[in-house]
């Protein structure tokens, strides 16, 4: 049935897609039609963006980062943005058979028609899905093979802070907050187009690179030592900056995005509205890449938050609002915010939630406040390390006493279920440290039974494998191999099972260690790992974050093939500890953190020395504020009562005075 | 506060509104669950004073009837909504239509003035566009199907495969032609595009568009080259002695006129 289609750029390909949809699962995820989605005429603008979250629609659609950038771009009269997500293998197969290209869900335009494709990487496990999308779009997967007819592909998001592994596939990468980045890129692309595209694609990429805040891998050469380590990474053209800085957005109140959150028809992982109450975190947990790379802390004000909540509820009809950030209970005015919002929405069906991870009694008061409406989501705490010693190593400043006091308060206040998050495979960890998790869980149940006077209380222990990440003090650390990870997890499981008195009240959730090794390879790899990604993808790697699609063997085979001629292998990238002198693949990419400070923090970690939070203790010179010319922006503003929202009239009532 | 979900203790509905809506275009791929979520959110956005059930996790009082399957468009879907304050049906229609995404369109709203609404939905009229199938082939298939007294199909249900008859439920089956006119599918499957219109009685198990297509394949070897595009055109009472479907809101409208 395929007759060749004369394709007009920007035209909808929906009719061709539609014929395939009756044969795939959950077709609604491919048709768009979300509330608050935007469709702009193709010819009305100069610059056209497609933003991709390279995972399934159900995960990607609620993503805050994408929704923010989508709106920021669409607010410009000279630009448009549409969204695209990874298609499942059933549709991919049909699209290939019927030559249907990767499409956006807004207007079903072909991805290859756009000027810029922005890839939003929250996790490295989305890299292979990017390749599928580029390939389905009819765009060469290797950046070097693209010509002036192809879009430029720009990576962003946390997993773009080490874009070296995907350097061969993307044309550019941006680190940090995307709001101003996409505006800058839009300006540059628009001017270049309006000037008649001087020097073609390379000309455009050079303009981007010269900003010093957009990384264009083709302008950097990587040289290696004989032993496989990197010798140096150097610009290969005059004027190309040696280092590329991250973006930092200041004054969150002037960026109240998303103003009109998207409401998908399809079911997603996050069926609620989100309001980001601050950005950044300076608690300094050493394993936490998100905390390290998003410094400094920038709070949204209590009034800014209240407005976003009210406006968002009006525009979406959601029943629940999540107050999000990396550590929401740390907002300087969280108590006032919680009380203010709980008061305002008392007696309505609107529920508030706060991903709670802080381990202190204050958190319980907060949780009580937020659940005034009757809904009780579970309580989650993240001690991360099982033993006191381990928590010092990772700088998670929580004592067992704190934890027991907090959970006692929670069970005492009527919670029946508490979730505890831990990690396995942390630097210097021994079996004994992990066994302490069981000990801690036992104490939690013991305290919970005493506080509640009941035996039916439970706690769930979730334990994840630690993966060392770039731009953290653990970037030099050895990753625990998957055999040892599994052995520790099994030992823990057996200890909990064997516990007659408390074991039945403790649930344990964990995954095997293999996916963590692939994530580790992708996180701390260099350009040579790009070949592994390409090979694995050619061998069928897709949706690597999904256990039903992930294959460890496929990745290991791909690595064996792709790295056959190199002095390095998977272990070299993952389980090997690095020395201070080693040039790291992301060494030329500036997250603001001073390399010496990071190294000192790594050494402090090994000697179990903690570091305070610079929000409430003096600055300890991590380097960020100096380097980036930013500052901590926190309250208190002193505002305690929320202004009343403008009164809306309920237009559907029968007798109404107009 | 202007958002006014109900006070919990007066959850009693003072009025029920019947909503006639359409599921059009790309939103025909929404499932019943997708629609439910979208409707509940739209009701909140439109500030409809919904009645909630009592109990620990209250849910809005909405009854759904006979929703068209995922992938099938519809001009005739119905739900009934309980509200805690008297609402004006036309205002409700406008507000709800505005609050739902384009493609889920509110056609009509009436105040429920009569019981047994669901029983009034006796039959449906379905339209099948068959790109790549010409009039002659379609007519032959229709004739072959109608000539049988029974056409058994199979469907996978919750408790395994079930066999049932489709012929009995079919009140009428007519064929027309839109060759060269359609173009909407743009599938390149030739120019011919036969149109089937089928009126089916609502029986148990219900005979759905997929079952009718299976029946045509079994009874008449009709295998469309591309997936047909199916639309439910109408749903309501069968007008006695004819194959027409009446307006299921008619009794509500009549009752309203007589009381006012
Ligand atoms: C904090 C966090 C949470 C918090 C808050 C979520 C939030 N704010 O959206 C809570 C606890 C609620 C949460 C919940 C969940 N999360 Co979460 N979360 C995170 C985390 C650590 C940071 C996200 C964040 O800061 N968002 C704030 C927004 C504003 O920032 P952003 O998305 O990074 O985007 C900005 C920049 O990065 C940049 N940018 C982003 N893309 C691009 C692209 C271009 C081209 C450019 C130029 C710039 C750019 O611009 C944006 C605006 O400044 C990420 C991990 C990560 N590395 O991102 C996981 C992560 C996104 N979460 C994940 C998951 C699975 C979940 C849950 C589904 C868990 C669950 N089972 O319930 C839920 C669902 C939530 C949801 N909204 O989808 C996964 C997603 C996995 C996947 N396959 O994609 C991640 C990647 C963690 C992981 N590795 O597993 N999460
Ligand atoms: S430089 Fe100091 S104040 Fe700034 S983020 Fe780092 S530690 Fe905090």
């Amino acid at each position: 049935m395929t007759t060749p289609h004369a394709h007009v750029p920007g035209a909808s390909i929906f009719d061709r897609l539609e014929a395939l949809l009756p044969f795939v699962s959950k077709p609604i995820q491919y048709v768009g039609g979300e509330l608050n989605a935007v469709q702009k005429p193709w010819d009305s603008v100069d610059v056209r963006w497609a933003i991709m979250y390279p995972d399934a629609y159900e995960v990607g659609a609620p993503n805050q980062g994408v929704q923010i950038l989508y709106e920021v771009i669409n607010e410009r009269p000279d630009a448009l943005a549409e969204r695209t997500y990874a298609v499942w293998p059933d549709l991919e197969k049909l699209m290939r058979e019927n030559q249907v290209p990767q499409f956006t869900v807004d207007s079903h335009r072909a991805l290859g028609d756009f000027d810029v494709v922005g890839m939003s990487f929250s996790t490295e496990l989305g890299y292979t899905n990017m390749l599928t999308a580029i390939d389905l779009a009819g765009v060469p997967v290797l950046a070097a093979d693209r010509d002036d007819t192809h879009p430029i592909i720009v990576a962003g998001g946390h997993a773009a802070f080490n874009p070296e592994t995907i350097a061969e596939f993307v044309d550019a990468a941006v680190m940090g907050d995307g709001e101003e980045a996409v505006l800058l890129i839009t300006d540059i692309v628009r001017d270049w187009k309006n000037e008649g595209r001087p020097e073609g694609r390379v000309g455009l990429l050079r303009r981007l690179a010269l900003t010093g805040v957009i990384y264009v891998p083709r302008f950097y050469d990587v040289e290696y030592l004989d032993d496989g380590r990197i010798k140096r990474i150097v610009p290969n053209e005059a004027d190309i900056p040696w280092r590329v800085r991250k973006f930092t957005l200041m004054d969150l109140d002037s960026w109240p995005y998303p103003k009109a959150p998207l409401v998908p028809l399809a079911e997603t992982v996050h069926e609620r509205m989100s309001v980001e109450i601050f950005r950044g975190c300076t608690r300094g947990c050493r394993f936490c890449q998100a905390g390290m790379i998003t410094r400094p802390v920038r709070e949204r004000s209590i009034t800014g938050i209240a407005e976003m909540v009210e406006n968002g509820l009006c525009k979406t009809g959601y029943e629940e609002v999540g107050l999000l950030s990396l550590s929401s209970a740390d907002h300087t005015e969280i108590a006032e915010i919680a009380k203010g919002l709980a008061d305002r929405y008392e007696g309505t069906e609107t529920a508030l939630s706060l991903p709670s991870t802080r381990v202190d009694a204050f958190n319980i008061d907060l949780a009580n406040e937020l659940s005034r409406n009757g809904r009780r989501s579970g309580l989650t705490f993240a001690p991360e390390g099982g033993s006191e010693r381990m928590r010092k190593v990772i700088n998670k400043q929580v004592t067992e006493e704190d934890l027991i006091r907090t959970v006692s308060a929670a069970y005492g206040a009527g919670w029946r279920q508490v979730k505890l998050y831990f990690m396995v495979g942390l630097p210097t960890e021994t079996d004994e440290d992990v066994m302490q998790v069981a000990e801690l869980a036992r104490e939690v149940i013991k305290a919970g039974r005493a506080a509640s006077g009941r035996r039916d209380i439970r706690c769930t222990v979730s334990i994840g494998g630690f993966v060392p990440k770039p731009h953290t003090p653990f970037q030099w650390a050895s990753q625990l191999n998957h055999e040892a990870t599994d052995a520790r997890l099994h030992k823990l499981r057996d200890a909990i099972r064997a516990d007659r008195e408390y074991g039945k009240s403790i649930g344990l959730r964990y995954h095997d260690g293999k996916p963590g090794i692939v994530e580790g390879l992708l996180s701390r790899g260099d350009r040579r790992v790009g070949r592994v990604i390409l090979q694995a993808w050619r061998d069928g790697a897709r949706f690597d974050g999904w256990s039903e699609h992930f294959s460890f063997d496929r990745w290991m085979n791909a690595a064996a093939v792709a790295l056959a001629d190199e002095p390095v292998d998977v272990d070299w990238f993952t389980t090997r500890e690095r020395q201070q002198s080693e040039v790291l693949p992301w060494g030329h990419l500036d997250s603001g953190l001073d390399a010496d400070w990071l190294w000192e923090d790594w050494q402090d970690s090994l000697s179990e020395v903690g570091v305070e939070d610079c929000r409430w203790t003096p600055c300890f010179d991590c380097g960020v504020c100096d380097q980036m010319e930013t500052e901590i922006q926190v309250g208190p503003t002193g505002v305690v009562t929320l202004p009343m929202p403008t009164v809306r009239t309920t237009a559907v009532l029968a007798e109404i005075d107009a | 506060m202007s958002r006014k979900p109900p006070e919990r203790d007066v959850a009693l509905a003072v009025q029920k509104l019947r909503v006639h809506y359409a599921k059009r275009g790309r939103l025909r791929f929404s499932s019943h669950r997708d629609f439910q979520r979208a409707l509940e959110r739209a009701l909140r956005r439109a500030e409809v004073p919904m009645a909630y059930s009592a109990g620990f996790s209250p849910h809005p009082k909405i009854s759904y009837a006979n929703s068209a399957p995922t992938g099938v468009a519809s001009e005739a879907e119905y739900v009934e909504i309980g509200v805690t304050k008297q609402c004006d049906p036309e205002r409700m229609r406008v507000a709800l239509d505005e609050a739902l995404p384009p493609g889920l369109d509110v056609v009509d709203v009436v105040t429920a003035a009569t019981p047994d609404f669901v029983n009034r939905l006796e039959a449906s009229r379905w339209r099948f566009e068959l790109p790549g199938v010409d009039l002659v082939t379609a007519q032959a298939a229709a004739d072959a199907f109608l000539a049988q007294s029974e056409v058994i199909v199979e469907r996978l249900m919750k408790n395994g495969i079930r066999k049932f008859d489709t012929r009995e439920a079919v009140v009428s089956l007519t064929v027309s032609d839109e060759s060269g006119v359609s173009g909407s599918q743009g599938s390149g499957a030739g120019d011919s595009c036969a149109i089937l219109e089928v009126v089916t009685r609502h029986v148990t198990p219900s005979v759905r568009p997929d079952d009718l297509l299976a029946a045509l394949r079994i009874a008449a070897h009709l295998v469309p080259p591309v997936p047909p595009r199916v639309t439910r055109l109408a749903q309501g009472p069968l007008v006695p002695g004819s194959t027409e479907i009446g307006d299921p809101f008619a009794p509500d409208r009549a009752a309203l006129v007589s009381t006012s």
Side-chain angles (χ1 to χ4, degrees):
Chain A
M1 55 162 279
T2 43
T3 44
H5 301 272
H7 179 68
V8 181
S12 168
I13 57 96
F14 188 68
D15 52 351
R16 289 153 66 197
L17 176 68
E18 189 176 21
L20 312 179
L21 293 181
F23 305 107
V24 304
S25 67
K26 297 196 206 149
I28 186 70
Q29 65 184 310
Y30 304 117
V31 307
E34 300 88 352
L35 196 66
N36 299 326
V38 177
Q39 283 176 278
K40 285 191 176 184
W42 190 251
D43 291 324
S44 67
V45 299
D46 296 319
V47 181
R48 296 143 190 144
W49 281 79
I51 302 178
M52 173 164 203
Y53 193 88
D55 206 324
Y57 180 89
E58 63 192 78
V59 183
N63 182 267
Q64 286 289 294
V66 169
Q67 291 200 24
I68 292 170
L69 302 182
Y70 175 75
E71 228 181 279
V72 166
I73 298 169
N74 275 323
E75 275 188 1
R76 284 178 67 132
D78 61 350
L80 64 76
E82 304 212 344
R83 294 158 299 125
T84 182
Y85 304 93
V87 300
W88 287 108
D90 60 347
L91 182 57
E92 182 193 339
K93 183 165 173 288
L94 289 172
M95 285 166 69
R96 288 188 188 282
E97 285 167 10
N98 295 280
Q99 287 132 52
V100 174
Q102 178 80 22
F103 54 87
T104 56
V105 295
D106 303 278
S107 305
H108 294 90
R109 289 166 168 155
L111 198 63
D113 289 350
F114 288 80
D115 298 307
V116 190
V117 176
M119 291 281 169
S120 182
F121 287 116
S122 301
T123 159
E124 297 79 5
L125 297 174
Y127 294 158
T128 51
N129 283 351
M130 162 178 69
L131 297 186
T132 308
I134 303 179
D135 188 47
L136 280 174
V139 175
V141 293
L142 293 177
D145 297 338
R146 290 177 205 142
D147 62 33
D148 288 3
T149 65
H150 297 124
I152 57 163
I153 297 179
V154 183
H158 294 185
F161 269 77
N162 171 22
E164 285 299 89
T165 56
I166 49 170
E168 310 277 326
F169 315 126
V170 300
D171 295 292
V174 168
M175 293 173 295
D177 300 321
E179 290 85 344
E180 291 168 316
V182 295
L183 294 176
L184 176 65
I185 295 171
T186 307
D187 286 341
I188 293 176
V189 172
R190 182 199 53 204
D191 293 347
W192 171 80
K193 283 178 76 175
N194 290 345
E195 288 163 33
R197 306 174 189 247
E199 292 175 78
R201 188 178 188 84
V202 185
L204 172 60
L205 293 175
R206 189 174 294 113
R207 287 188 187 193
L208 295 174
L210 289 174
T211 60
V213 283
I214 299 165
Y215 177 55
V216 180
R218 68 181 289 150
F219 294 125
Y220 297 80
D221 289 338
V222 184
E223 295 164 19
Y224 299 95
L225 298 165
D226 289 341
D227 65 5
R229 286 179 303 154
I230 293 173
K231 185 169 166 222
R232 52 184 207 144
I233 302 173
V234 282
N236 55 23
E237 273 189 20
D239 301 334
I240 297 290
W242 281 77
R243 287 172 71 74
V244 181
R245 274 169 295 125
K246 75 163 180 180
F247 278 86
T248 312
L249 193 73
M250 301 306 291
D251 188 17
L252 244 54
D253 275 338
S254 48
W255 297 87
Y257 297 91
K259 294 174 186 167
L262 295 168
V263 187
L265 274 157
E267 190 163 11
T268 69
V269 294
H270 200 67
E271 292 283 318
R272 66 181 87 112
M273 195 185 93
S274 304
V275 172
E276 197 188 6
I277 65 172
F278 66 84
R279 210 170 267 184
C281 175
T282 39
R283 291 217 150 226
C285 307
R286 291 175 173 129
F287 54 84
C288 174
Q289 188 193 37
M292 291 289 164
I293 63 180
T294 59
R295 293 175 172 208
V297 169
R298 292 142 287 154
E299 287 186 354
R300 202 184 295 285
S301 71
I302 180 167
T303 38
I305 293 166
E307 276 163 26
M308 280 186 77
V309 169
E310 176 62 14
N311 170 61
L313 286 172
C314 282
K315 294 233 168 84
T316 62
Y318 274 128
E319 271 201 306
E320 188 177 344
V321 186
L323 302 177
L324 304 186
S325 73
L326 290 174
S327 176
S328 292
D330 283 342
H331 191 290
T332 45
E333 287 172 317
I334 191 64
E336 291 81 1
I337 294 168
K339 177 165 187 318
L341 292 175
D343 283 351
R344 182 183 274 187
Y345 297 107
E346 176 130 44
T348 75
E349 298 298 322
T350 305
L352 300 164
S353 71
L354 190 85
S356 49
T357 50
R358 221 172 107 176
V359 185
D360 57 30
F362 165 71
N363 222 347
I364 305 298
D365 295 341
L366 258 186
N368 279 331
E369 194 68 84
L370 291 171
S371 62
R372 233 198 268 164
N373 265 355
R375 282 165 208 247
R376 289 214 153 167
S377 46
L379 271 184
T380 306
F381 301 105
E384 307 287 4
S387 68
E388 208 83 45
R389 189 190 75 78
M390 217 54 251
R391 291 194 292 272
K392 283 196 178 123
V393 169
I394 61 178
N395 199 42
K396 193 89 196 187
Q397 308 203 4
V398 176
T399 61
E400 180 168 339
E401 220 186 304
D402 293 335
L403 180 68
I404 297 304
R405 203 180 319 113
T406 309
V407 297
S408 299
Y411 290 119
W415 265 269
R416 298 268 159 272
Q417 161 93 339
V418 162
K419 251 196 237 164
L420 300 176
Y421 277 49
F422 293 95
M423 276 187 287
V424 62
L426 290 161
T428 78
E429 177 188 278
T430 62
D431 285 9
E432 194 31 51
D433 292 308
V434 176
M435 299 306 279
Q436 286 292 312
V437 171
E439 191 53 46
L440 209 54
R442 226 172 276 152
E443 292 302 320
V444 162
I445 296 294
K446 198 193 280 178
R449 286 182 187 168
S452 64
R454 321 169 52 124
R455 284 185 66 83
D456 64 351
I457 53 130
R458 289 185 55 78
C459 96
T460 308
V461 169
S462 253
I463 181 159
F466 166 63
V467 178
K469 293 277 163 118
H471 306 283
T472 68
F474 289 166
Q475 63 183 356
W476 290 280
S478 147
Q479 184 177 352
L480 189 64
N481 66 47
H482 66 90
E483 293 90 346
T485 299
D486 292 345
R488 275 186 200 156
L489 287 171
H490 291 155
K491 227 171 145 174
L492 175 65
R493 178 198 59 196
D494 294 344
I496 291 174
R497 275 197 192 152
D499 187 327
R500 282 157 169 266
E501 174 63 18
Y502 300 109
K504 284 223 156 44
S505 304
I506 304 170
L508 180 66
R509 292 179 44 189
Y510 65 93
H511 295 287
D512 73 296
K514 283 174 171 173
I517 290 295
V518 173
E519 193 185 330
L521 174 73
L522 300 177
S523 297
R524 289 194 297 169
D526 55 35
R527 291 190 184 184
R528 293 168 293 190
V529 170
R531 289 176 233 157
V532 182
I533 298 173
L534 189 59
Q535 184 65 42
W537 173 72
R538 287 199 170 125
D539 295 344
R542 303 284 186 279
F543 289 91
D544 289 299
W546 299 72
S547 53
E548 60 272 45
H549 291 277
F550 174 79
S551 159
F552 183 69
D553 293 342
R554 177 161 52 212
W555 275 96
M556 292 308 110
N557 293 337
V561 172
L563 299 175
D565 300 331
E566 298 287 343
V568 298
D569 58 12
V570 173
D571 284 347
W572 191 87
F573 284 109
T574 55
T575 59
R576 181 179 64 99
E577 184 171 334
R578 279 77 158 164
Q579 297 307 309
Q580 188 177 14
S581 59
E582 181 165 341
V583 176
L584 298 171
W586 51 92
H588 55 309
L589 302 176
D590 191 356
S591 59
L593 297 156
D594 183 64
D596 291 334
W597 180 80
L598 280 177
W599 179 264
E600 269 168 44
D601 203 40
W602 168 224
Q603 298 309 305
D604 282 350
S605 150
L606 296 175
S607 25
E608 296 161 27
V609 175
V611 48
E612 297 287 319
D613 187 322
C614 62
R615 256 172 305 189
W616 34 74
T617 61
C619 166
F620 46 79
D621 284 324
C622 74
V624 171
C625 291
D626 249 10
Q627 273 290 317
M628 300 287 148
E629 292 174 23
T630 53
E631 60 183 3
I632 296 185
Q633 294 184 329
V634 294
T637 59
V639 180
V640 286
T641 45
L642 302 184
M644 283 312 283
T646 43
V647 174
R648 286 175 274 149
T649 38
T650 303
V652 297
L653 296 185
E655 57 296 303
I656 190 171
D657 24 41
Chain B
M1 235 315 283
S2 48
R3 188 173 303 95
K4 278 211 181 54
E7 287 79 62
R8 286 276 166 70
D9 39 358
V10 282
L12 275 182
V14 298
Q15 180 191 18
K16 281 185 183 168
L17 292 140
R18 290 177 181 152
V19 178
H20 169 188
Y21 72 96
K23 188 169 82 159
R24 295 176 174 144
R26 56 185 176 171
L27 290 206
R28 72 184 163 101
F29 291 104
S30 57
S31 69
H32 179 57
R33 276 167 58 89
D34 298 333
F35 174 74
Q36 273 180 289
R37 270 195 313 274
L39 177 67
E40 288 182 23
R41 283 174 191 154
L43 287 164
R44 277 193 289 273
R45 267 164 42 83
E47 305 185 341
V48 173
M50 279 183 281
Y52 279 76
S53 65
F56 191 65
S57 63
H59 52 89
K61 290 202 166 168
I62 305 177
S63 354
Y64 298 86
N66 295 335
S67 56
T70 308
V72 171
S74 177
E75 290 297 318
E77 300 294 288
Y78 295 92
V79 292
E80 193 174 270
I81 298 165
V83 292
T84 58
K85 295 197 179 83
Q86 283 294 329
C87 291
D88 175 66
E90 177 55 16
R91 284 187 184 136
M92 170 107 155
R93 188 193 65 74
V94 173
L96 199 54
D97 187 47
E98 168 72 26
L100 278 165
L104 293 177
D105 303 326
V106 181
V107 180
D108 198 1
V109 178
V110 295
T111 298
T114 53
D116 290 337
F117 180 70
V118 177
N119 294 342
R120 232 177 282 159
L121 300 178
E122 281 176 336
S124 288
R125 178 184 301 279
W126 307 96
R127 173 188 159 97
F128 294 76
E129 285 173 37
L130 304 171
V133 177
D134 59 44
L135 184 65
V136 178
T137 314
Q139 189 62 60
D143 293 345
F145 174 83
L146 290 171
Q148 318 261 335
S149 59
E150 200 183 64
V151 181
I152 304 289
V153 300
E154 292 183 349
R155 196 202 304 159
L156 187 63
M157 307 219 191
K158 273 186 209 110
N159 35 13
I161 290 187
R162 179 144 173 210
K163 291 186 180 190
F164 57 96
D165 173 41
T166 53
R167 176 62 191 89
E168 172 75 36
V170 172
V171 179
S172 73
L173 197 178
T174 56
V175 181
S176 60
D177 184 17
E178 278 195 12
S179 299
V181 187
S182 157
S184 52
Q185 190 99 347
S187 56
D191 268 346
S192 47
C193 181
I195 307 290
L196 299 184
E197 275 196 25
V198 189
V199 174
T200 57
R201 213 174 273 116
H202 294 169
V203 291
T204 316
S206 59
V207 174
R208 301 189 307 199
D210 273 357
D211 303 318
L212 291 170
L213 287 167
L216 288 169
R217 193 179 61 238
I218 291 164
H221 308 290
L222 181 73
V223 184
V226 293
R229 191 204 280 255
V230 188
T231 308
R232 174 189 258 159
L233 296 175
Q235 213 188 153
L238 266 175
V239 177
S242 88
T243 62
E244 291 302 305
I245 290 176
D247 175 7
F249 284 169
D252 297 297
R253 286 191 236 276
L256 232 96
V257 171
S258 66
T259 56
S260 62

